[in-house]
Amino acid sequence: MFTQMLDQYQRGCGMASVTCMLYSIVCFLPGAYQTASIVTNVALGKPTIQSSTYPGGNSSYAVDGRTGGNFFSDHCMLTRDGNTWWLVDLLHVYNISTVIVFRRTDFPGRAEQVKIEGFVQQPRLCPASSPKVCVNQLGSFTGPSKTVACEQEVMARYVRVSSTTCMTLCEIQMFGQNIGGCLRNKVQVQEGHKLDDSSITMLRGNVSSIVECSIHCYRLHNCLFFNFNRLTGECQTGSGQETSASSSAADWDFGTIC
């Protein structure tokens, strides 16, 4: 399948400087995605960001494993303003079925209105990504935590928690099933071009094909673009602001991932 897909890419793009769409099949790499029931918290210790941060309320505190409800001793995330959000990158795609939310016990009342939804693509980089809603409104608590079964099974790599008010959560745990088989990820490739921007640090490595380079980028947190050298196999991956800027460069292909 890998060879067939690479042949299709080469026939569709040719050797001219054109823009085409490449679909990277991430199951090509051994062990990339396997079907398995997850009985552990898949959000624990994963990368997080949030819309704003109140001093001492870092986004990572919501997945640090501490389930206590005291902001000062147990560490909880806390945003500053209204219409806020918190986002976790699970690094793999899961079918999320159950979420457990631990609220603050020293200042309750800030978790009831939150909405939880999942995305396959990073919603900040791909605004057109369609979310799958796990729960539209968390609702009232009867204790320090609340376990909710998602309204539908949510296939997601990114899970966002949002609120119309400032938001504070002490821990959020997510459980589900690791997706098996192939996951398609849209990549735009411009042949004969290369991104060469001194303000962007590119990680370098060697791969066997442009498909493998795009897969390598996809599996890195927040990787948005890559350069691939068709002669040497060098793969350069970078993150930062989404960009389409590139310059002509023989033997190179420039790719962006949405």
Side-chain angles (χ1 to χ4, degrees), residues 37-44 46 94 96 98 173-177:
S37 295
I38 303 297
V39 294
T40 57
N41 172 21
V42 300
L44 181 63
K46 298 296 174 62
Y94 297 91
I96 304 297
T98 305
Q173 300 176 347
M174 302 173 192
F175 303 86
Q177 188 178 55

Side-chain angles (χ1 to χ4, degrees), residues 26 33 35 42 88 90-99 116-123 129-135 150-160 174-185 218:
V26 301
Y33 289 91
T35 302
V42 300
V88 60
L90 302 177
L91 301 181
H92 291 286
V93 177
Y94 297 91
N95 272 335
I96 304 297
S97 57
T98 305
V99 176
I116 303 173
E117 50 195 345
F119 302 80
V120 172
Q121 297 172 319
Q122 227 282 21
S129 299
S130 299
K132 290 287 187 179
V133 176
C134 170
V135 58
C150 292
E151 299 168 2
Q152 58 182 324
E153 202 166 56
V154 175
M155 187 176 78
R157 170 177 169 173
Y158 302 91
V159 177
R160 183 174 67 190
M174 302 173 192
F175 303 86
Q177 188 178 55
N178 199 347
I179 295 294
C182 301
L183 177 70
R184 290 173 180 253
N185 187 56
Y218 175 78

Side-chain angles (χ1 to χ4, degrees), residues 23-154:
Y23 285 90
S24 298
I25 312 299
V26 301
C27 64
F28 287 150
L29 296 185
Y33 289 91
Q34 299 176 354
T35 302
S37 295
I38 303 297
V39 294
T40 57
N41 172 21
V42 300
L44 181 63
K46 298 296 174 62
T48 59
I49 53 175
Q50 61 192 29
S51 56
S52 61
T53 301
Y54 188 85
N58 297 346
S59 66
S60 61
Y61 292 162
V63 291
D64 63 359
R66 301 185 184 188
T67 58
N70 186 286
F71 178 82
F72 300 99
S73 61
D74 298 312
H75 289 175
C76 306
M77 60 76 59
L78 175 60
T79 59
R80 282 181 175 273
D81 310 310
N83 295 315
T84 54
W85 52 264
W86 172 92
L87 184 80
V88 60
D89 181 355
L90 302 177
L91 301 181
H92 291 286
V93 177
Y94 297 91
N95 272 335
I96 304 297
S97 57
T98 305
V99 176
I100 304 176
V101 176
F102 294 81
R103 65 172 176 175
R104 283 181 61 178
T105 54
D106 61 339
F107 191 70
R110 294 285 180 163
E112 286 81 352
Q113 305 301 318
V114 303
K115 179 179 183 178
I116 303 173
E117 50 195 345
F119 302 80
V120 172
Q121 297 172 319
Q122 227 282 21
R124 297 180 63 239
L125 304 179
C126 304
S129 299
S130 299
K132 290 287 187 179
V133 176
C134 170
V135 58
N136 201 45
Q137 185 171 303
L138 197 57
S140 60
F141 279 68
T142 57
S145 68
K146 183 172 185 176
T147 301
V148 293
C150 292
E151 299 168 2
Q152 58 182 324
E153 202 166 56
V154 175

